[in-house]
Amino acid sequence: MRLFLLTTLVMIAFAANSVLNRMAVGVAGLDPGVAGAVRLGAGAAVLLVLAVWRGGGGVARPRPAVALTGAGTLFLYIFGFTVANGRIEAGIGALILFGAVQITMFAAGLLMGERPGAARWLGAAVAFGGLVVLVAPAGGAGVDPLGAAMMALGGLGWGLYSLNGRRAGAPLAASAVNFTLALPLALGWVALRGGGDLTWGIWPALLSGAVTSGLGYALWYAVVPRLAPSLAAVAQLSVPVLAALGGAALLGEVPGGRFWLAAALVLGGIGLALRRPGRSGARG
């Protein structure tokens, strides 16, 4: 039950990230590079303070390969996710993001020798079908192609980042190092783009970095080693519905019927996958 509650809390934080970053980039018009740098900087500051406090004056250092992979995949996620948030709505973006996460983590699980049971395979297939319903053109209109592609790239980065977290021995310290090492990459991105005018969007970007990203990712790094890769992937597909509700309440982005059909398929797939975990299901 404790693992379930912690996982639920992380999913809420992930949904809040979608809404806050859509607010910063898509609504307030903050430059994506600036938004990404602010998010990483705020997250790094909070995580470093907490890591030093919890570590009694020092921060445990993860293995260099784990740290560099974590920083690179975190930046890949931030890059795709932030650019996409300027082009597609929060709920739709979250659905594409975690669909790409699901594909990445399921594929990695198979390569790592995991053998999901039939129920989990069926649930994943139903959930993926919901994503197909969402992005397929209908009547000449569909999701912005570049926005969808960038969000899928972000999903690839997040899936790899989550998998890398399974190798991190100290979740809080590892998250602090990842954010700190990824920040120069984001600053380089800002330098290449030239930045832009600061808007009120800097405030939701700061909140996203300090709270729902920094603290949320540290908690995720603590939870993900206890979940099988395929189970972690499917659980994250609950985020788009939460993000859509947040987008409707805070941004006035009320999803249409096709989104809710897709969301119903996604949630139905989650239910099937969680009903009977495979042999390598969640531990603890």
Side-chain angles (χ1 to χ4, degrees):
M1 178 59 71
R2 183 171 179 270
L3 180 60
F4 172 80
L5 292 176
L6 289 176
T7 304
T8 300
L9 182 61
V10 173
M11 298 306 107
I12 293 173
F14 289 172
N17 269 331
S18 291
V19 175
L20 289 171
N21 282 274
R22 173 65 177 165
M23 186 183 297
V25 180
V27 177
L30 187 64
D31 179 79
V34 173
V38 167
R39 186 178 173 190
L40 285 170
V46 169
L47 287 167
L48 284 171
V49 169
L50 289 175
V52 171
W53 175 62
R54 289 288 300 273
V59 179
R61 290 177 290 182
R63 296 191 303 268
V66 175
L68 291 175
T69 301
T73 54
L74 176 61
F75 175 74
L76 181 63
Y77 155 70
I78 291 287
F79 174 73
F81 179 79
T82 309
V83 172
N85 270 317
R87 307 181 70 93
I88 53 181
E89 295 179 0
I92 293 174
L95 201 54
I96 296 171
L97 176 76
F98 287 101
V101 170
Q102 181 196 49
I103 294 170
T104 301
M105 297 186 72
F106 258 76
L110 293 176
L111 292 174
M112 293 162 56
E114 182 186 352
R115 294 295 178 263
R120 193 168 294 171
W121 274 110
L122 179 59
V126 172
F128 183 72
L131 297 176
V132 173
V133 169
L134 177 71
V135 301
V143 177
D144 179 84
L146 179 58
M150 294 303 295
M151 193 63 82
L153 181 66
L156 172 64
W158 178 253
L160 295 174
Y161 180 78
S162 296
L163 290 166
N164 187 66
R166 299 171 66 85
R167 304 189 295 164
L172 186 59
S175 298
V177 171
N178 290 338
F179 271 69
T180 301
L181 293 180
L183 180 57
L185 298 175
L187 293 175
W189 179 22
V190 173
L192 289 174
R193 287 180 56 87
D197 295 333
L198 293 181
T199 71
W200 62 266
I202 195 170
W203 300 113
L206 279 169
L207 181 60
S208 172
V211 181
T212 57
S213 292
L215 299 181
Y217 292 5
L219 182 57
W220 180 236
Y221 253 34
V223 169
V224 75
R226 303 172 63 188
L227 300 174
S230 62
L231 185 57
V234 174
Q236 291 179 84
L237 288 174
S238 62
V239 174
V241 177
L242 298 173
L245 293 175
L250 299 176
L251 307 177
E253 296 179 347
V254 181
R258 184 158 63 153
F259 173 86
W260 292 114
L261 173 60
L265 290 171
V266 167
L267 288 178
I270 292 173
L272 286 172
L274 298 183
R275 186 179 178 189
R276 291 182 183 176
R279 293 180 183 177
S280 57
R283 299 185 299 274

